[in-house]
Amino acid sequence: MTTQVSARNIDIRFLGLPTQIKANAESTNGAYGLIEHWDVPTGFASPYHTHHNEDESFYVLDGQVAFVLGGVPNDARAVPLVAPEVLLGT
């Protein structure tokens, strides 16, 4: 899903999750995007995917998540460019 916005703090649903866009490429001159997910249910899994234009990082405020990076379970919170990954709510 691609959402084009220039304002901050836009509420959307992404992959069925409540999500807030805090900043995007347009509002940061292409430096980064920042989104917040909350209420990620146990058992949730993002589709297995690869980013071709950006690295990805995670900051978990509450609860636990598991990552599969390149097909291997991983506890890293940063995902390098073009690494296939999935995020699991645990």
Side-chain angles (χ1 to χ4, degrees):
M1 174 180 179
T2 302
T3 302
Q4 297 287 330
V5 295
S6 57
R8 294 185 180 173
N9 297 328
I10 303 297
D11 292 324
I12 63 170
R13 293 196 72 81
F14 180 73
L15 299 175
L17 300 177
T19 302
Q20 189 172 76
I21 300 171
K22 301 286 192 178
N24 64 8
E26 185 177 335
S27 66
T28 64
N29 293 319
Y32 66 94
L34 179 65
I35 64 172
E36 179 181 355
H37 296 298
W38 61 94
D39 197 26
V40 178
T42 299
F44 170 82
S46 69
Y48 203 62
H49 63 284
T50 301
H51 293 268
H52 295 280
N53 298 315
E54 67 279 327
D55 293 332
E56 188 172 33
S57 61
F58 299 88
Y59 189 82
V60 179
L61 297 174
D62 186 32
Q64 297 177 340
V65 295
F67 298 89
V68 176
L69 181 58
V72 178
N74 192 305
D75 63 358
R77 298 296 187 256
V79 179
L81 186 64
V82 302
E85 49 113 353
V86 65
L87 168 69
L88 307 169
T90 60

